[in-house]
Each structure stands twice: as C-alpha cells, then as structure tokens.
Amino acid sequence: MRIVIVGGVAAGMSAAMQVKRRRADAEIVVLERGDFVAYGACGIPYNLEDPARDIEDLVVRTPQEFRAHGIDVRLRHEVLSIDPARKLVRVRHAAGIWDLEYDRLIVATGASPLVPPIRGVDRPGVHVLRDLSDAAKIKQRIAGGEVARAVIVGGGYIGMEMAEALRQRGIAVTVVERLGRVVFGFEPAISDIVRDELLRLDVRVETDASVDSIDEQLSVHTSAGTVAADLVLVSVGVRPNVALARDAGIALGPTGAIAVDEGMRTSLPDVFAAGDCAEAHHLVADSPAYIPLGTTANKQGKVAGANAAGAHEVFAGIVGTAAFRVFEVEVGRTGLGRADIERAGRDDLVSISTHASRGHAFPGSAPLTTVLFVERDTGRLVGAQMAGRGVVGTRIDVFATALHANMTVDDIERLDLAYAPPIAPVYDPILIAASVARKDLERARRG
Ligand SMILES: Cc1cc2nc3c(=O)[nH]c(=O)nc-3n(C[C@H](O)[C@H](O)[C@H](O)COP(=O)(O)OP(=O)(O)OC[C@H]3O[C@@H](n4cnc5c(N)ncnc54)[C@H](O)[C@@H]3O)c2cc1C
C-alpha cells in the first residue's frame, strides 16, 4: 500500500503521521515542492520580531526525522499532474520528470498569497509572506539593516501581526487598507480597537486607500498619497491551490476550494484532500466554507490520513473560530459575521457590550468589547467577536463551544464561569454580553 501526499506542511504532515500510526506497513511518500516541511507558519511574525531566533526554529520535524519514522519526505519535488485512471502522479525534480503510482492520494497543496495586479508589485523589495522561504527573505533584509520603513498592503490579521513584528524591530510601519477600516471581517467596534492600538504604537494607518503602483525606490503610490518604503509586504489574503485537483477532475465546491465529505474524501475514489486547499463544513451556516487556518488544516489532515489508512474518522466541521494579537490587544471571532449574515439573507440581532476583563479595581483590568449575533426568533447565538487588552482567546473559545452546543444567550447567561480578581470579574464579559444581548432581544421583540 503506497500513500502519496502532495504538500508537506500542516495538513500533509498531519496526514503522514496518522497514516504511519495506523498502518505501519504502508509506504508513505510526501512530495513537497518547497524547501521545508512541517513548520508552524503561524509563528512566523513572532520569529521575525526576534533577531536572535533562527527562522528554522519554526520547523517542528526535519525530513531526516520523518525518514527515521519511515516517512519518505522529498523536498523540491513538485507534482505536475494527477492521472486518476492510472493512479499515478507526475513529479518534477531537478533530476527530471517521472511518474509515481499511488494506492491512495492525499492532496494537501494549501493556499498561495493573492497578489493584486499593482504596477511594480514584482520589484525586489516587495514581499509576500506565506512560507518559511518568504520569511527568511524578510528576516535577512531586516538583519542587513536595509529596512527603516515598511508598508504593509492589507489590514487583515497577518498584516496586523506583521505590523507588530516590524515595529518591534524599530521599523516605521504604515498599513494601507483598501477598505474603510482594518480587519474588515470584524465589526467596526472591534476594528476601531485594533486601529487605536496600531496608532498607540506609532503605526500609520491609511484606510480607503488603494495601491496604484510601487516605484523603483519602493515608494507606494496610493489613492490617498505616497508612502516611502524600504520594504513592502503584500498581505491581502490567499486563494486555495486547486489547479492540480481541478485538472484531474476533482470537484471543487461553491467556495472554489476542493469539495470534501466529512471523511475528507474528494469526488475521486482513493483521493483525499485536507487543509487550506479544501473546504470545511460550517456548522452554524450549515454550508461549505473556506476559512483557511492552521487549526483546521491539522485536524483535516489527521482525518484524511486516518481514512487513507482505512479508518472511518470524521471531521465534524468548523464554526469559524480565529484569534490574533496585535501588541497588547487580543482579538477573536467565531461563528457568523455580518457579511455571512447578509449573504444568507438573515436578520440576526447585533448586540454590543463592554465590560472589565478582571475583578473590580484589580490592576491591569481593561475593557473588553464583545459583539454577539443572535437569531431573533430563538435567541440562539450565531456569532461572536471580542477585542481588548485582556484575555480574549479563551473567551472566544467559550462562545465557540456555545455554538457547537447550539446554545441560546439565555443558556450562556446561566453558565457557571470562574471568578477571581486577577482572572475575571464576578460577571465575566461573556455573561455580561449574553445578558445584554438577551435584553436587546427582549426590547426588539417588544418593538
Ligand atoms: C504569517 C502567518 C500566520 C498565520 N497565523 C495563523 C494562526 O495564528 N492561526 C491559524 O490557525 N492559522 C494561521 N495561519 C494559517 C496557517 O499557517 C495555514 O492555514 C496552514 O499553514 C495551512 O496548512 P496546509 O498544509 O493546508 O497548507 P500550506 O501551509 O499552504 O502548505 C501546502 C504545501 O503544499 C505545497 N505544494 C503546493 N502545491 C504543490 C505541488 N503541486 N507539488 C508539491 N507540493 C505542493 C506548498 O509548497 C506548501 O508547502 C497563518 C499563516 C501565515 C502565513
């Protein structure tokens, strides 16, 4: 039994480890076109902000270590095509092009950065950030002392994390965002907190500014003016790497990523897909979604690997939980946001509250702002967002759990949550948010 895996990062290597655990006799071949496998891309911004750390610190296991576990990892091997009828992949390496047969195939080709058609975007000094090779180039330029000013094109979460990383290296940073505010997937109340934190740390924020061109000196010309830079980072999102699958006849879903069932099977027999190239079932929207995240990639890879090895595991689905930090502010979301609600033609109530992160007058207590989206008829929570200078990540996880359990805001308000002044107030912001939402709902129902 030969199991071939295309792509060797979160999804691909989780799949490989799972196959190994379940079928010690299987031959496992991982084909990775890049220079690294099994690294934590999510840690890149924090590695970049620390000049003492080697970028390869982010590698969890090297190809040699995988080989010692009986997993044949081949770097700089690109899969050019899949022939499902003959069950083989065509592979290109410096040594030539050849075909490799498979019994089961796992497509874990991930995603690639979107690069908008801006004049000058291909100049040296303009970077994207997706993998360790991208990160190494940025780190090298900073270490060379060439970067005093940086422009980040795109105000998404990676742009925010990179604004922090570059500021920590003493670099003057400007964030240029085409839309009206940073982290546009969040409500304005949340975006404002993020913007204020950027401004507090002297990051310039240009919103409603689309980039027209980048000139030879790396000055970025936008609809709002010109910003001089020594380094430009384009971070405007990703698209799933689906060409390989699509050309082999594997069905794509409505989001444009690879359609999979709950066992991570694609439309072709013996071919699985996982991670940022694939869709996931959104449990709240009850529809396929494309929310490319490391957490999902790891879990989907595990299920794909298990099932490729003959098991019957299920990936239950996602509720769209994500969090990030920018300087001292934590930000998180789960469930549906405004765009999802509008797209689905829903009429959910939006409730905003702000409450202290810690016990009354406890040092370090700071306001946390919570936005809840609530189904009007039932009071069921359908989405939550939170931001502030306190613990947000684990609080968002409570809301995510509530979504998994189909809880109403009444249910959430009755939760027995911990209280200790350094950790949380008597009424945690979660309970306050649920209570405020319940009252908002009652008011709305009364008309
Ligand atoms: C800076 C940054 C911060 C992030 N922070 C977070 C975070 O905090 N939390 C979170 O959940 N997620 C985060 N993510 C997202 C997370 O890193 C990705 O979701 C995750 O890496 C996806 O893993 P993957 O294996 O599906 O795809 P990828 O990481 O894209 O790996 C796919 C691999 O497939 C290879 N490949 C593609 N096509 C071929 C081919 N034809 N032949 C051979 N190889 C091929 C590619 O070279 C690539 O190495 C972050 C990402 C970045 C860049």
Side-chain angles (χ1 to χ4, degrees):
M1 160 77 90
R2 180 189 286 150
I3 297 181
V4 172
I5 300 171
V6 191
V9 190
M13 295 323 298
S14 295
M17 292 299 285
Q18 202 49 221
V19 174
K20 196 68 223 167
R21 246 170 234 142
R22 297 190 180 241
R23 281 211 57 166
D25 61 321
E27 183 193 353
I28 307 165
V29 183
V30 178
L31 301 166
E32 166 55 56
R33 68 182 173 194
D35 295 328
F36 299 95
V37 290
Y39 57 85
C42 313
I44 290 174
Y46 309 100
N47 180 292
L48 289 180
E49 73 182 38
D50 182 352
R53 274 180 72 189
D54 196 292
I55 203 78
E56 292 185 28
D57 277 6
L58 293 167
V59 174
V60 181
R61 262 195 206 92
T62 63
Q64 292 75 3
E65 287 169 322
F66 280 111
R67 274 182 219 120
H69 280 85
I71 297 171
D72 179 2
V73 173
R74 305 187 194 170
L75 297 180
R76 295 175 283 281
H77 280 64
E78 181 175 18
V79 175
L80 300 176
S81 60
I82 303 166
D83 181 343
R86 292 160 63 207
K87 292 185 93 168
L88 47 87
V89 291
R90 177 149 295 176
V91 190
R92 178 167 58 198
H93 178 248
I97 292 179
W98 73 93
D99 292 336
L100 179 69
E101 287 179 6
Y102 64 82
D103 294 298
R104 306 262 158 81
L105 179 70
I106 300 174
V107 179
T109 47
S112 293
L114 279 168
V115 180
I118 297 167
R119 213 158 7 101
V121 80
D122 50 356
R123 290 188 195 286
V126 182
H127 297 258
V128 291
L129 179 58
R130 176 69 193 174
D131 58 28
L132 278 202
S133 303
D134 299 331
K137 283 183 210 148
I138 295 172
K139 194 150 194 174
Q140 206 174 356
R141 290 206 53 222
I142 297 172
E146 315 162 38
V147 185
R149 304 157 301 179
V151 169
I152 298 173
V153 181
Y157 82 94
I158 292 177
M160 300 298 98
E161 291 178 347
M162 283 302 294
E164 172 182 329
L166 295 171
R167 277 307 288 135
Q168 301 288 21
R169 299 293 299 263
I171 296 167
V173 177
T174 304
V175 174
V176 178
E177 168 57 55
R178 182 173 56 90
L179 300 170
R181 49 195 169 80
V182 291
V183 291
F184 201 81
F186 287 81
E187 285 298 288
I190 303 288
S191 293
D192 289 352
I193 294 168
V194 174
R195 180 206 55 211
D196 291 350
E197 184 68 354
L198 291 172
L199 297 178
R200 187 178 74 82
L201 275 300
D202 290 331
V203 175
R204 262 181 75 187
V205 181
E206 299 272 2
T207 48
D208 285 316
S210 55
V211 177
D212 299 325
S213 64
I214 303 165
D215 69 23
E216 259 172 62
Q217 278 72 46
L218 284 187
S219 288
V220 179
H221 302 281
T222 77
S223 52
T226 296
V227 193
D230 309 303
L231 179 145
V232 180
L233 175 67
V234 177
S235 178
V236 297
V238 296
R239 61 177 163 69
N241 291 329
V242 296
L244 191 66
R246 188 193 53 218
D247 295 350
I250 294 171
L252 305 184
T255 70
I258 300 172
V260 283
D261 70 7
E262 59 181 15
M264 306 316 296
R265 293 172 202 89
T266 69
S267 61
L268 287 184
D270 295 326
V271 183
F272 299 77
D276 281 11
C277 60
E279 293 183 333
H281 186 72
H282 198 300
L283 296 167
V284 183
D286 194 22
S287 62
Y290 183 63
I291 304 179
L293 285 171
T295 167
T296 307
N298 276 285
K299 291 172 197 148
Q300 288 188 328
K302 194 170 168 193
V303 171
N307 292 346
H312 298 280
E313 296 289 329
V314 162
F315 177 65
I318 58 168
V319 293
T321 311
F324 68 93
R325 190 195 70 187
V326 55
F327 299 106
E328 290 175 16
V329 164
E330 283 190 26
V331 186
R333 64 168 290 175
T334 187
L336 307 183
R338 191 175 292 265
D340 307 307
I341 285 165
E342 285 173 2
R343 208 176 309 119
R346 300 176 57 99
D347 176 34
D348 299 311
L349 177 108
V350 183
S351 171
I352 303 183
S353 59
T354 296
H355 193 61
S357 63
R358 292 176 171 174
H360 174 70
F362 194 88
S365 183
L368 295 183
T369 295
T370 310
V371 183
L372 298 187
F373 298 90
V374 184
E375 197 165 59
R376 284 179 194 269
D377 299 348
T378 62
R380 183 175 70 107
L381 182 77
V382 296
Q385 301 178 4
M386 198 184 236
R389 207 164 290 143
V391 173
V392 165
T394 48
R395 289 186 164 107
I396 270 297
D397 285 344
V398 172
F399 287 121
T401 309
L403 292 176
H404 276 278
N406 270 315
M407 289 168 79
T408 64
V409 284
D410 288 29
D411 297 330
I412 297 169
E413 198 181 345
R414 286 194 289 264
L415 287 174
D416 176 20
L417 301 184
Y419 159 57
I423 295 168
V426 177
Y427 287 97
D428 191 277
I430 295 167
L431 303 178
I432 298 290
S435 167
V436 170
R438 179 184 49 79
K439 287 176 197 149
D440 286 348
L441 205 55
E442 284 165 4
R443 214 170 296 122
R445 280 177 186 155
R446 282 199 303 271

PDB file of all heavy atoms in Angstrom, residues 9 29 56 62 64 66 90 98 106 157 184 186 190 233 252 283 295 304 310 318 344 347 365 406 408 413 421 425:
ATOM      1  N   VAL A   9       3.101  20.582   4.727  1.00  0.00           N
ATOM      2  CA  VAL A   9       3.052  21.489   5.881  1.00  0.00           C
ATOM      3  C   VAL A   9       2.024  20.936   6.887  1.00  0.00           C
ATOM      4  O   VAL A   9       2.089  19.756   7.230  1.00  0.00           O
ATOM      5  CB  VAL A   9       2.815  22.959   5.450  1.00  0.00           C
ATOM      6  CG1 VAL A   9       3.010  23.913   6.640  1.00  0.00           C
ATOM      7  CG2 VAL A   9       3.832  23.345   4.375  1.00  0.00           C
ATOM      8  N   VAL A  29       4.853   8.481   0.960  1.00  0.00           N
ATOM      9  CA  VAL A  29       5.740   9.396   0.228  1.00  0.00           C
ATOM     10  C   VAL A  29       5.117  10.783   0.271  1.00  0.00           C
ATOM     11  O   VAL A  29       3.969  10.976  -0.153  1.00  0.00           O
ATOM     12  CB  VAL A  29       5.929   8.955  -1.242  1.00  0.00           C
ATOM     13  CG1 VAL A  29       6.915   9.889  -1.946  1.00  0.00           C
ATOM     14  CG2 VAL A  29       6.387   7.510  -1.328  1.00  0.00           C
ATOM     15  N   GLU A  56      14.599  28.723  11.115  1.00  0.00           N
ATOM     16  CA  GLU A  56      14.333  27.280  11.098  1.00  0.00           C
ATOM     17  C   GLU A  56      13.908  26.725  12.462  1.00  0.00           C
ATOM     18  O   GLU A  56      13.553  25.556  12.576  1.00  0.00           O
ATOM     19  CB  GLU A  56      15.533  26.528  10.514  1.00  0.00           C
ATOM     20  CG  GLU A  56      15.664  26.843   9.033  1.00  0.00           C
ATOM     21  CD  GLU A  56      16.742  26.059   8.320  1.00  0.00           C
ATOM     22  OE1 GLU A  56      17.053  24.938   8.741  1.00  0.00           O
ATOM     23  OE2 GLU A  56      17.277  26.585   7.336  1.00  0.00           O
ATOM     24  N   THR A  62      12.315  17.669  10.913  1.00  0.00           N
ATOM     25  CA  THR A  62      13.023  17.773   9.627  1.00  0.00           C
ATOM     26  C   THR A  62      12.701  16.534   8.764  1.00  0.00           C
ATOM     27  O   THR A  62      12.265  15.504   9.294  1.00  0.00           O
ATOM     28  CB  THR A  62      14.546  17.805   9.861  1.00  0.00           C
ATOM     29  OG1 THR A  62      14.913  16.556  10.468  1.00  0.00           O
ATOM     30  CG2 THR A  62      14.958  18.959  10.755  1.00  0.00           C
ATOM     31  N   GLN A  64      14.756  14.466   7.660  1.00  0.00           N
ATOM     32  CA  GLN A  64      15.546  13.344   8.182  1.00  0.00           C
ATOM     33  C   GLN A  64      14.798  12.667   9.339  1.00  0.00           C
ATOM     34  O   GLN A  64      14.760  11.441   9.439  1.00  0.00           O
ATOM     35  CB  GLN A  64      16.921  13.822   8.695  1.00  0.00           C
ATOM     36  CG  GLN A  64      17.874  14.317   7.623  1.00  0.00           C
ATOM     37  CD  GLN A  64      17.504  15.722   7.098  1.00  0.00           C
ATOM     38  OE1 GLN A  64      16.564  16.366   7.565  1.00  0.00           O
ATOM     39  NE2 GLN A  64      18.217  16.182   6.093  1.00  0.00           N
ATOM     40  N   PHE A  66      11.591  12.642   9.836  1.00  0.00           N
ATOM     41  CA  PHE A  66      10.452  11.891   9.286  1.00  0.00           C
ATOM     42  C   PHE A  66      10.927  10.580   8.677  1.00  0.00           C
ATOM     43  O   PHE A  66      10.282   9.546   8.837  1.00  0.00           O
ATOM     44  CB  PHE A  66       9.713  12.725   8.229  1.00  0.00           C
ATOM     45  CG  PHE A  66       8.776  13.725   8.845  1.00  0.00           C
ATOM     46  CD1 PHE A  66       9.027  15.082   8.767  1.00  0.00           C
ATOM     47  CD2 PHE A  66       7.636  13.299   9.506  1.00  0.00           C
ATOM     48  CE1 PHE A  66       8.161  15.999   9.340  1.00  0.00           C
ATOM     49  CE2 PHE A  66       6.756  14.202  10.083  1.00  0.00           C
ATOM     50  CZ  PHE A  66       7.030  15.562   9.998  1.00  0.00           C
ATOM     51  N   ARG A  90       2.465  12.767 -11.685  1.00  0.00           N
ATOM     52  CA  ARG A  90       3.684  13.120 -12.439  1.00  0.00           C
ATOM     53  C   ARG A  90       4.471  14.119 -11.586  1.00  0.00           C
ATOM     54  O   ARG A  90       3.916  15.133 -11.130  1.00  0.00           O
ATOM     55  CB  ARG A  90       3.300  13.722 -13.779  1.00  0.00           C
ATOM     56  CG  ARG A  90       4.498  14.168 -14.580  1.00  0.00           C
ATOM     57  CD  ARG A  90       4.263  14.049 -16.056  1.00  0.00           C
ATOM     58  NE  ARG A  90       4.106  12.638 -16.450  1.00  0.00           N
ATOM     59  CZ  ARG A  90       3.821  12.233 -17.682  1.00  0.00           C
ATOM     60  NH1 ARG A  90       3.637  13.120 -18.639  1.00  0.00           N
ATOM     61  NH2 ARG A  90       3.705  10.947 -17.959  1.00  0.00           N
ATOM     62  N   TRP A  98       9.151  12.252 -13.641  1.00  0.00           N
ATOM     63  CA  TRP A  98       8.760  10.840 -13.701  1.00  0.00           C
ATOM     64  C   TRP A  98       7.393  10.641 -13.056  1.00  0.00           C
ATOM     65  O   TRP A  98       6.856  11.572 -12.437  1.00  0.00           O
ATOM     66  CB  TRP A  98       9.813   9.949 -13.063  1.00  0.00           C
ATOM     67  CG  TRP A  98       9.866  10.037 -11.569  1.00  0.00           C
ATOM     68  CD1 TRP A  98       9.208   9.237 -10.695  1.00  0.00           C
ATOM     69  CD2 TRP A  98      10.592  10.980 -10.795  1.00  0.00           C
ATOM     70  NE1 TRP A  98       9.476   9.629  -9.409  1.00  0.00           N
ATOM     71  CE2 TRP A  98      10.327  10.697  -9.448  1.00  0.00           C
ATOM     72  CE3 TRP A  98      11.442  12.050 -11.106  1.00  0.00           C
ATOM     73  CZ2 TRP A  98      10.864  11.437  -8.402  1.00  0.00           C
ATOM     74  CZ3 TRP A  98      11.984  12.780 -10.058  1.00  0.00           C
ATOM     75  CH2 TRP A  98      11.704  12.478  -8.740  1.00  0.00           C
ATOM     76  N   ILE A 106      -3.347  11.881  -1.074  1.00  0.00           N
ATOM     77  CA  ILE A 106      -3.874  12.978  -0.239  1.00  0.00           C
ATOM     78  C   ILE A 106      -3.364  14.292  -0.811  1.00  0.00           C
ATOM     79  O   ILE A 106      -2.148  14.506  -0.903  1.00  0.00           O
ATOM     80  CB  ILE A 106      -3.441  12.817   1.232  1.00  0.00           C
ATOM     81  CG1 ILE A 106      -3.961  11.475   1.793  1.00  0.00           C
ATOM     82  CG2 ILE A 106      -3.973  13.989   2.069  1.00  0.00           C
ATOM     83  CD1 ILE A 106      -3.467  11.148   3.191  1.00  0.00           C
ATOM     84  N   TYR A 157      -5.490  39.952   9.418  1.00  0.00           N
ATOM     85  CA  TYR A 157      -4.825  39.592  10.668  1.00  0.00           C
ATOM     86  C   TYR A 157      -3.317  39.393  10.498  1.00  0.00           C
ATOM     87  O   TYR A 157      -2.542  39.738  11.395  1.00  0.00           O
ATOM     88  CB  TYR A 157      -5.510  38.384  11.331  1.00  0.00           C
ATOM     89  CG  TYR A 157      -5.114  37.027  10.804  1.00  0.00           C
ATOM     90  CD1 TYR A 157      -4.108  36.291  11.415  1.00  0.00           C
ATOM     91  CD2 TYR A 157      -5.749  36.457   9.710  1.00  0.00           C
ATOM     92  CE1 TYR A 157      -3.744  35.041  10.948  1.00  0.00           C
ATOM     93  CE2 TYR A 157      -5.388  35.212   9.238  1.00  0.00           C
ATOM     94  CZ  TYR A 157      -4.396  34.504   9.849  1.00  0.00           C
ATOM     95  OH  TYR A 157      -4.034  33.264   9.379  1.00  0.00           O
ATOM     96  N   PHE A 184     -11.433  44.038   8.352  1.00  0.00           N
ATOM     97  CA  PHE A 184     -12.779  44.363   7.882  1.00  0.00           C
ATOM     98  C   PHE A 184     -13.784  43.241   8.161  1.00  0.00           C
ATOM     99  O   PHE A 184     -14.992  43.482   8.192  1.00  0.00           O
ATOM    100  CB  PHE A 184     -12.724  44.661   6.372  1.00  0.00           C
ATOM    101  CG  PHE A 184     -13.892  45.460   5.901  1.00  0.00           C
ATOM    102  CD1 PHE A 184     -13.926  46.835   6.077  1.00  0.00           C
ATOM    103  CD2 PHE A 184     -14.975  44.832   5.294  1.00  0.00           C
ATOM    104  CE1 PHE A 184     -15.017  47.577   5.657  1.00  0.00           C
ATOM    105  CE2 PHE A 184     -16.070  45.569   4.868  1.00  0.00           C
ATOM    106  CZ  PHE A 184     -16.093  46.942   5.045  1.00  0.00           C
ATOM    107  N   PHE A 186     -14.326  41.998  10.825  1.00  0.00           N
ATOM    108  CA  PHE A 186     -14.865  42.233  12.173  1.00  0.00           C
ATOM    109  C   PHE A 186     -15.791  43.444  12.137  1.00  0.00           C
ATOM    110  O   PHE A 186     -15.741  44.264  11.219  1.00  0.00           O
ATOM    111  CB  PHE A 186     -13.724  42.484  13.157  1.00  0.00           C
ATOM    112  CG  PHE A 186     -12.937  41.245  13.501  1.00  0.00           C
ATOM    113  CD1 PHE A 186     -11.941  40.768  12.657  1.00  0.00           C
ATOM    114  CD2 PHE A 186     -13.184  40.551  14.678  1.00  0.00           C
ATOM    115  CE1 PHE A 186     -11.216  39.635  12.965  1.00  0.00           C
ATOM    116  CE2 PHE A 186     -12.461  39.413  15.011  1.00  0.00           C
ATOM    117  CZ  PHE A 186     -11.469  38.944  14.142  1.00  0.00           C
ATOM    118  N   ILE A 190     -14.881  46.542  16.813  1.00  0.00           N
ATOM    119  CA  ILE A 190     -13.670  45.737  17.017  1.00  0.00           C
ATOM    120  C   ILE A 190     -12.515  46.342  16.193  1.00  0.00           C
ATOM    121  O   ILE A 190     -11.399  46.518  16.696  1.00  0.00           O
ATOM    122  CB  ILE A 190     -13.923  44.267  16.593  1.00  0.00           C
ATOM    123  CG1 ILE A 190     -15.120  43.672  17.360  1.00  0.00           C
ATOM    124  CG2 ILE A 190     -12.655  43.433  16.745  1.00  0.00           C
ATOM    125  CD1 ILE A 190     -14.906  43.379  18.807  1.00  0.00           C
ATOM    126  N   LEU A 233       5.253  44.762   2.104  1.00  0.00           N
ATOM    127  CA  LEU A 233       4.677  43.432   2.303  1.00  0.00           C
ATOM    128  C   LEU A 233       3.249  43.446   1.779  1.00  0.00           C
ATOM    129  O   LEU A 233       2.422  44.230   2.248  1.00  0.00           O
ATOM    130  CB  LEU A 233       4.681  43.062   3.793  1.00  0.00           C
ATOM    131  CG  LEU A 233       3.996  41.736   4.127  1.00  0.00           C
ATOM    132  CD1 LEU A 233       4.768  40.560   3.549  1.00  0.00           C
ATOM    133  CD2 LEU A 233       3.853  41.583   5.639  1.00  0.00           C
ATOM    134  N   LEU A 252     -14.637  20.860  -7.361  1.00  0.00           N
ATOM    135  CA  LEU A 252     -14.483  21.975  -6.427  1.00  0.00           C
ATOM    136  C   LEU A 252     -15.854  22.309  -5.865  1.00  0.00           C
ATOM    137  O   LEU A 252     -16.881  22.024  -6.483  1.00  0.00           O
ATOM    138  CB  LEU A 252     -13.896  23.196  -7.144  1.00  0.00           C
ATOM    139  CG  LEU A 252     -12.574  22.982  -7.899  1.00  0.00           C
ATOM    140  CD1 LEU A 252     -12.066  24.308  -8.466  1.00  0.00           C
ATOM    141  CD2 LEU A 252     -11.505  22.358  -6.996  1.00  0.00           C
ATOM    142  N   LEU A 283     -20.640  24.632  10.609  1.00  0.00           N
ATOM    143  CA  LEU A 283     -21.750  24.058  11.368  1.00  0.00           C
ATOM    144  C   LEU A 283     -22.862  25.069  11.646  1.00  0.00           C
ATOM    145  O   LEU A 283     -24.014  24.692  11.794  1.00  0.00           O
ATOM    146  CB  LEU A 283     -21.229  23.489  12.695  1.00  0.00           C
ATOM    147  CG  LEU A 283     -20.255  22.311  12.539  1.00  0.00           C
ATOM    148  CD1 LEU A 283     -19.556  22.017  13.856  1.00  0.00           C
ATOM    149  CD2 LEU A 283     -20.989  21.078  12.035  1.00  0.00           C
ATOM    150  N   THR A 295      -5.385  25.504  12.357  1.00  0.00           N
ATOM    151  CA  THR A 295      -6.099  24.580  13.248  1.00  0.00           C
ATOM    152  C   THR A 295      -6.909  23.578  12.437  1.00  0.00           C
ATOM    153  O   THR A 295      -6.869  22.368  12.663  1.00  0.00           O
ATOM    154  CB  THR A 295      -6.967  25.369  14.255  1.00  0.00           C
ATOM    155  OG1 THR A 295      -7.842  24.472  14.868  1.00  0.00           O
ATOM    156  CG2 THR A 295      -7.777  26.460  13.628  1.00  0.00           C
ATOM    157  N   ALA A 304      -7.883  12.846   7.091  1.00  0.00           N
ATOM    158  CA  ALA A 304      -7.561  12.343   5.744  1.00  0.00           C
ATOM    159  C   ALA A 304      -6.553  11.191   5.846  1.00  0.00           C
ATOM    160  O   ALA A 304      -6.713  10.155   5.182  1.00  0.00           O
ATOM    161  CB  ALA A 304      -6.987  13.471   4.884  1.00  0.00           C
ATOM    162  N   GLY A 310      -7.445   3.501   5.965  1.00  0.00           N
ATOM    163  CA  GLY A 310      -8.519   2.505   6.087  1.00  0.00           C
ATOM    164  C   GLY A 310      -9.495   2.746   7.220  1.00  0.00           C
ATOM    165  O   GLY A 310     -10.424   1.962   7.414  1.00  0.00           O
ATOM    166  N   ILE A 318     -16.445  23.079  11.193  1.00  0.00           N
ATOM    167  CA  ILE A 318     -15.891  24.256  11.872  1.00  0.00           C
ATOM    168  C   ILE A 318     -17.015  25.214  12.254  1.00  0.00           C
ATOM    169  O   ILE A 318     -18.117  25.138  11.721  1.00  0.00           O
ATOM    170  CB  ILE A 318     -14.892  25.007  10.947  1.00  0.00           C
ATOM    171  CG1 ILE A 318     -15.588  25.445   9.639  1.00  0.00           C
ATOM    172  CG2 ILE A 318     -13.672  24.154  10.642  1.00  0.00           C
ATOM    173  CD1 ILE A 318     -14.791  26.418   8.817  1.00  0.00           C
ATOM    174  N   ALA A 344     -26.488  35.408   3.610  1.00  0.00           N
ATOM    175  CA  ALA A 344     -27.510  34.375   3.811  1.00  0.00           C
ATOM    176  C   ALA A 344     -28.909  34.977   3.925  1.00  0.00           C
ATOM    177  O   ALA A 344     -29.888  34.243   4.098  1.00  0.00           O
ATOM    178  CB  ALA A 344     -27.167  33.580   5.068  1.00  0.00           C
ATOM    179  N   ASP A 347     -31.567  37.862   9.471  1.00  0.00           N
ATOM    180  CA  ASP A 347     -31.932  39.115  10.122  1.00  0.00           C
ATOM    181  C   ASP A 347     -31.545  39.056  11.604  1.00  0.00           C
ATOM    182  O   ASP A 347     -32.352  39.335  12.480  1.00  0.00           O
ATOM    183  CB  ASP A 347     -33.453  39.314   9.946  1.00  0.00           C
ATOM    184  CG  ASP A 347     -33.950  40.542  10.678  1.00  0.00           C
ATOM    185  OD1 ASP A 347     -33.199  41.518  10.750  1.00  0.00           O
ATOM    186  OD2 ASP A 347     -35.087  40.499  11.201  1.00  0.00           O
ATOM    187  N   SER A 365      -6.814  45.546  34.894  1.00  0.00           N
ATOM    188  CA  SER A 365      -8.143  45.310  34.330  1.00  0.00           C
ATOM    189  C   SER A 365      -8.383  46.307  33.199  1.00  0.00           C
ATOM    190  O   SER A 365      -8.031  47.483  33.311  1.00  0.00           O
ATOM    191  CB  SER A 365      -9.200  45.497  35.426  1.00  0.00           C
ATOM    192  OG  SER A 365     -10.466  45.203  34.890  1.00  0.00           O
ATOM    193  N   ASN A 406     -25.242  24.714  20.206  1.00  0.00           N
ATOM    194  CA  ASN A 406     -26.500  25.387  19.822  1.00  0.00           C
ATOM    195  C   ASN A 406     -27.133  26.157  20.969  1.00  0.00           C
ATOM    196  O   ASN A 406     -28.352  26.146  21.142  1.00  0.00           O
ATOM    197  CB  ASN A 406     -27.519  24.361  19.321  1.00  0.00           C
ATOM    198  CG  ASN A 406     -27.392  24.165  17.848  1.00  0.00           C
ATOM    199  OD1 ASN A 406     -27.278  25.137  17.089  1.00  0.00           O
ATOM    200  ND2 ASN A 406     -27.369  22.924  17.425  1.00  0.00           N
ATOM    201  N   THR A 408     -28.499  29.171  23.431  1.00  0.00           N
ATOM    202  CA  THR A 408     -29.109  30.494  23.314  1.00  0.00           C
ATOM    203  C   THR A 408     -28.361  31.464  24.245  1.00  0.00           C
ATOM    204  O   THR A 408     -27.584  31.024  25.101  1.00  0.00           O
ATOM    205  CB  THR A 408     -30.587  30.458  23.749  1.00  0.00           C
ATOM    206  OG1 THR A 408     -30.604  30.114  25.145  1.00  0.00           O
ATOM    207  CG2 THR A 408     -31.387  29.447  22.939  1.00  0.00           C
ATOM    208  N   GLU A 413     -25.932  32.960  29.533  1.00  0.00           N
ATOM    209  CA  GLU A 413     -26.008  33.830  30.715  1.00  0.00           C
ATOM    210  C   GLU A 413     -26.011  33.013  32.008  1.00  0.00           C
ATOM    211  O   GLU A 413     -25.599  33.487  33.058  1.00  0.00           O
ATOM    212  CB  GLU A 413     -27.290  34.672  30.611  1.00  0.00           C
ATOM    213  CG  GLU A 413     -27.293  35.879  31.487  1.00  0.00           C
ATOM    214  CD  GLU A 413     -28.595  36.669  31.383  1.00  0.00           C
ATOM    215  OE1 GLU A 413     -29.376  36.448  30.440  1.00  0.00           O
ATOM    216  OE2 GLU A 413     -28.820  37.504  32.274  1.00  0.00           O
ATOM    217  N   PRO A 421     -10.326  37.851  41.123  1.00  0.00           N
ATOM    218  CA  PRO A 421      -9.998  39.205  40.637  1.00  0.00           C
ATOM    219  C   PRO A 421      -8.889  39.269  39.589  1.00  0.00           C
ATOM    220  O   PRO A 421      -9.037  39.999  38.603  1.00  0.00           O
ATOM    221  CB  PRO A 421      -9.643  39.961  41.923  1.00  0.00           C
ATOM    222  CG  PRO A 421     -10.447  39.271  42.969  1.00  0.00           C
ATOM    223  CD  PRO A 421     -10.479  37.821  42.594  1.00  0.00           C
ATOM    224  N   PRO A 425     -13.831  39.186  36.328  1.00  0.00           N
ATOM    225  CA  PRO A 425     -14.745  39.796  37.299  1.00  0.00           C
ATOM    226  C   PRO A 425     -15.825  38.791  37.712  1.00  0.00           C
ATOM    227  O   PRO A 425     -15.939  37.729  37.122  1.00  0.00           O
ATOM    228  CB  PRO A 425     -15.346  40.964  36.523  1.00  0.00           C
ATOM    229  CG  PRO A 425     -15.198  40.609  35.086  1.00  0.00           C
ATOM    230  CD  PRO A 425     -14.029  39.680  34.970  1.00  0.00           C
TER     231      PRO A 425
END
